[in-house]
Amino acid sequence: MTKGYWVAHVDVNDIETYKTYIAANAAPFAEYGARFLVRGGAYEQTEGHCRARTVVIEFPSYEAALACYRSPGYQAAKALRDPVSTGDMVIIQGYDG
């Protein structure tokens, strides 16, 4: 089964409120088998445009990645994130080459 990934680029306007989102997303991430591969960190922008934070989360399958995003638990966490951040995200199927 091909893995699924969330790839997000985020600017956070209020880190203290954003921390409530981080706490709230832990349960749905655990439920759907999420594993952080990248969570902020140092980077060098070599091309194009980017936001302050990059996050890459791996899921056991593409279907699990979609289901997590659509779950009531994650949507409740997202409601905490939306007012204090701006971002771009894709959910993408891994390459099984």
Side-chain angles (χ1 to χ4, degrees), residues 7-71:
V7 180
H9 301 279
V10 183
D11 290 328
V12 177
N13 305 320
D14 178 350
I15 193 64
E16 291 308 313
T17 302
Y18 192 80
K19 288 178 184 178
T20 64
Y21 159 72
I22 292 170
N25 70 31
F29 285 168
E31 179 181 350
Y32 290 93
R35 183 171 76 99
F36 283 87
L37 301 180
V38 176
R39 195 172 196 176
Y43 69 93
E44 181 176 324
Q45 183 178 333
T46 56
E47 294 183 32
H49 303 282
C50 196
R51 297 188 184 272
R53 290 177 56 89
T54 297
V55 178
V56 179
I57 306 171
E58 179 183 75
F59 290 83
S61 68
Y62 178 63
E63 293 75 19
L66 292 171
C68 181
Y69 184 81
R70 295 172 180 158
S71 73

